[in-house]
Amino acid sequence: MTKDKLSRPAILLLSGGLDSATIGAMAKAEGFQLHALSFDYGQRHKAELEAAARVADMLGVVEHKIAHIDMALFGGSALTTDIPVPKGEDSIRTGDEVPITYVPARNTIFLSYALALAEVRSARHIFIGVNAVDFSGYPDCRPDYIAAFQAMSNLATVVGREGGGIEICTPLLHMSKAEIVTKGTELGVNYAITTSCYDADSEGRACGGCDACRLRREGFEGAGLPDPTCYQTP
């Protein structure tokens, strides 16, 4: 652990899901002081924001901010409109098909907010839980996208122009869900308090049939660990 990491803050994009909880634990283990940023963006349920608050408490973050933006204004996603969330066989994609759960430009918007907070907090690292192995169907979860945003951030910020820059950290980018679950478990992450489901009910219980639920379940199975997720049906 370097003195630099011990003495400087980092921004954590915190959704309340399995991935963001894991990267938060990884960043904390490296000595970063975490400033968490979550979004109330017009998503179909608020369970993830409740989960984000629980994860923020678990990680002992310096602060937890919630940005309010209305991406439902644009539509185009099952997560922000009345378009049904694909489940079961309907959730399985083929080739490079982009799923209807993709929210147009979401990560670009989220990272832009994180970049602004990073400048104000003098943070030089932004942690985001994008994962290209399990969910390469999302165009803004791919390595070339992250590289492009990194290049843009170096041009768009004062510190970037001065030669310092703000690093976009994606430790989960090439990890499988099983590897992510294993890593988080080693770091003491309580996955029972996280929410990954795209269609959780009013009590925060996972539907068990959407793509996010399937990937999460397969992650615990692959890691050989019990799945603590509370599902709507057994």
Side-chain angles (χ1 to χ4, degrees), residues 99 171 205:
R205 296 177 301 177

Side-chain angles (χ1 to χ4, degrees), residues 21-94:
T22 303
I23 61 168
M26 293 170 71
K28 180 180 179 181
E30 291 185 25
F32 286 106
Q33 298 173 319
L34 300 177
H35 296 253
L37 178 60
S38 301
F39 293 86
D40 183 353
Y41 63 92
Q43 59 267 57
R44 57 191 302 132
H45 63 75
K46 305 302 180 186
E48 65 179 54
L49 289 174
E50 295 169 357
R54 295 192 295 267
V55 173
D57 286 341
M58 178 187 71
L59 294 173
V61 302
V62 176
E63 64 176 337
H64 182 204
K65 288 188 171 293
I66 298 177
H68 299 270
I69 53 180
D70 186 14
M71 297 188 71
L73 176 69
F74 310 115
S77 170
L79 301 191
T80 57
T81 66
D82 290 332
I83 300 171
V85 173
K87 297 179 182 179
E89 293 294 328
D90 292 337
S91 69
I92 299 176
R93 295 173 288 107
T94 59

